[in-house]
Amino acid sequence: MRRVLIVGAGQSGLQLGLSLLAEGYQVTLMSARTPDEIRRGWVMSTQAMFAEALRTERRYGLDLWQDQAPDIHALHVSLSAPPGERALRIPCPLDEPAQSTDQRLKMAAWLELFEERGGTIHYQGVTTADLDGLTRLGRYDLTIVAAGKGDLVGVFARDPQRSVHTTPQRGLAVAYVHGMAPDPLLPVPHVSFNAVPGLGELFVIPALTLSGPCEILFWEAVPDGPLDLWRDRLDPADHLKATLDLARRYTPWIYERCREVELTDARATLSGRYTPTVRLPVAELPSGGAVLGMADVVVANDPVTGQGSNTAAKCAAAYLRSILEHGDRPFDREWMTRTFERFWFDTGRAVTAWTNAMLQPLPPHVQQVLGAAAGNPTIARRFANGFSDPTDFDDWFMSPDRAERYLAEVAG
Ligand SMILES: Cc1cc2nc3c(=O)[nH]c(=O)nc-3n(C[C@H](O)[C@H](O)[C@H](O)COP(=O)(O)OP(=O)(O)OC[C@H]3O[C@@H](n4cnc5c(N)ncnc54)[C@H](O)[C@@H]3O)c2cc1C
């Protein structure tokens, strides 16, 4: 039986670990935290996941919250100009629902499931020296690092060709709340995406948290601009107050829905920032071993397009496929590189290009597309469904001439 070691028990590491167990592999996971520590910890993400990514979980019966998490049926995009007024509003229906399940719930339960299904877990924060020792002993046929954006990414070199940014592009501020009123203009559960041009974005995402269904208020602030109140970690009550003050000023239509909100629990806020980075997939360790990086370790995009968990799930599915196809042959550097390149070609590069584009001031052709989508449900639907399959954006959204051709086609 082939033995696989996975370092990091998040979306990608646990999904791959559980899928490999189901396929008869012997899997060991190293997790920095126990299920109880995760459940009692701070929120980690807004983790909205769209149909294509959810399908990769469902294939292995990992969708344990499908009946409890609110089904998200649409995006509701608003552009404000000047701040405080809504200039454009676009309801964008999704063909299949998206869902967001608090990673505290999901990762804690998946860890327990992993153990129940025969996996081995070591609870330990892994260092580079540990990794080196683990690969030197030769106990595992393959070691995968799925440790998110933690310090361990340092063993993987930045890929300067594929990394556009050298600094964080947004300050991030998340608050999980109960008591938000429904949107009177679009009563179905939806992700509300409010762009404040030049300053940032406010998202509202229906989700399932520890205490049941909730909404997540998520500011993305252009660094050092007026929305960027998030350099220092605020006390949760001050964080919620700052979130609502900004909503009152810049997106009053969202503030109107927030009159009764309260935080879902004592650890319902998160703030921070990181530099979007693509890394080389294979890390060489001092003793000569090689390990393969996965998901955020190798492709960390800004959450402005809500893709990280989706990409992590797709990366788990892609690596699983490569492992199964490889049979009993050695997992050498050549296989590792090929495995990542296939994932990059099929998924990573489109998500990265689109996400980086969405971090920039919207170019004229994108403004034109959104303007057209406001009056044309076909365009709005295509935009929404691109969140599930971002490779589609390349065919119509990502360049002025392709956008023009598509708009002409739709108009014709
Ligand atoms: C504010 C915010 C909002 C977001 N919103 C969305 C969204 O709406 N939709 C979406 O798809 N994505 C979103 N994301 C991104 C998404 O959460 C991540 O991209 C996704 O969780 C990455 O999965 P992963 O498996 O690579 O890493 P993670 O899920 O981060 O898991 C990594 C795991 O490794 C562990 N670990 C780290 N270092 C070590 C170590 N040294 N030893 C052992 N274990 C270690 C960590 O504790 C963690 O459990 C958001 C992210 C942020 C920050």
Side-chain angles (χ1 to χ4, degrees):
M1 197 191 281
R2 304 214 83 184
R3 294 150 306 170
V4 179
L5 172 67
I6 300 173
V7 177
Q11 176 69 41
S12 65
L14 274 163
Q15 184 176 328
L16 178 63
L18 282 157
S19 322
L20 282 172
L21 282 181
E23 295 288 350
Y25 285 68
Q26 192 178 315
V27 190
T28 302
L29 249 170
M30 309 203 64
S31 171
R33 292 190 294 164
T34 65
D36 276 350
E37 285 167 343
I38 293 170
R39 272 193 204 99
R40 283 190 269 108
W42 293 91
V43 294
M44 294 178 270
S45 178
T46 64
Q47 72 271 309
M49 291 180 65
F50 296 86
E52 285 233 342
L54 291 173
R55 255 193 293 282
T56 66
E57 295 183 345
R58 286 178 186 151
R59 215 169 285 144
Y60 282 86
L62 303 177
D63 51 332
L64 309 180
W65 303 271
Q66 193 180 353
D67 298 335
Q68 299 150 54
D71 275 344
I72 298 170
H73 292 287
L75 305 183
H76 195 184
V77 178
S78 297
L79 299 183
S80 78
E85 278 167 40
R86 180 138 72 173
L88 189 65
R89 186 177 82 74
I90 319 162
C92 307
L94 284 163
D95 287 346
E96 295 173 82
Q99 290 190 321
S100 166
T101 301
D102 187 337
Q103 288 188 342
R104 293 178 298 180
L105 264 179
K106 189 189 221 178
M107 301 315 156
W110 275 4
L111 268 171
E112 288 164 350
L113 190 64
F114 181 83
E115 226 162 6
E116 271 166 43
R117 292 189 178 171
T120 304
I121 307 180
H122 298 299
Y123 289 105
Q124 167 187 346
V126 176
T127 63
T128 309
D130 295 332
L131 256 191
D132 191 38
L134 285 161
T135 52
R136 193 176 49 226
L137 291 173
R139 259 191 238 142
Y140 304 100
D141 299 303
L142 171 65
T143 300
I144 293 182
V145 180
K149 295 177 281 287
D151 293 343
L152 216 48
V153 298
V155 300
F156 295 87
R158 177 174 182 273
D159 183 338
Q161 253 95 50
R162 290 173 173 170
S163 300
V164 174
H165 302 291
T166 51
T167 55
Q169 298 300 296
R170 293 289 189 273
L172 312 172
V174 169
Y176 283 44
V177 296
H178 286 309
M180 196 159 171
D183 183 342
L185 297 180
L186 189 62
V188 295
H190 62 264
V191 170
S192 168
F193 175 166
N194 304 276
V196 186
L199 306 186
E201 299 81 17
L202 172 63
F203 297 87
V204 184
I205 302 160
L208 179 71
T209 187
L210 304 169
S211 45
C214 70
E215 313 279 334
I216 307 174
L217 292 162
F218 174 25
W219 276 108
E220 286 243 346
V222 170
D224 305 322
L227 304 182
D228 192 10
L229 310 178
W230 318 105
R231 288 243 169 230
D232 302 316
R233 185 165 192 139
L234 300 175
D235 158 82
D238 292 339
H239 181 119
L240 180 59
K241 184 175 177 312
T243 295
L244 298 179
D245 284 348
L246 291 178
R248 181 163 38 77
R249 227 166 127 202
Y250 292 97
T251 54
W253 56 94
I254 298 294
Y255 180 72
E256 284 308 312
R257 298 172 51 202
C258 291
R259 298 199 176 268
E260 309 279 320
V261 300
E262 52 183 39
L263 290 173
T264 57
D265 60 89
R267 295 194 167 173
T269 58
L270 162 73
S271 59
R273 63 196 64 213
Y274 58 88
T275 304
T277 308
V278 181
R279 293 176 187 274
L280 300 179
V282 183
E284 302 288 342
L285 297 167
S287 305
V291 293
L292 173 64
M294 163 174 223
D296 268 13
V297 166
V298 278
V299 182
N301 284 309
D302 187 274
V304 73
T305 50
Q307 290 297 306
S309 299
N310 291 269
T311 306
K314 291 173 188 175
C315 191
Y319 283 19
L320 173 72
R321 185 174 142 209
S322 290
I323 292 169
L324 298 182
E325 281 173 3
H326 205 56
D328 288 333
R329 287 168 284 167
F331 296 111
D332 53 18
R333 288 163 178 76
E334 200 265 319
W335 174 86
M336 290 180 184
T337 305
R338 218 172 350 105
T339 293
F340 173 77
E341 287 301 320
R342 180 156 78 172
F343 157 71
W344 174 256
F345 186 81
D346 290 347
T347 303
R349 66 177 181 157
V351 173
T352 303
W354 169 53
T355 302
N356 286 333
M358 294 297 280
L359 289 166
Q360 304 306 312
L362 296 181
H365 78 274
V366 171
Q367 293 178 30
Q368 208 188 342
V369 164
L370 293 177
N376 187 322
T378 304
I379 305 171
R381 165 170 266 127
R382 189 163 184 189
F383 180 70
N385 288 308
F387 283 72
S388 179
D389 176 13
T391 60
D392 183 55
F393 284 123
D394 203 33
D395 293 336
W396 67 287
F397 189 84
M398 293 295 289
S399 81
D401 49 334
R402 271 168 274 163
E404 194 185 336
R405 204 177 321 131
Y406 173 66
L407 292 182
E409 254 170 56
V410 176

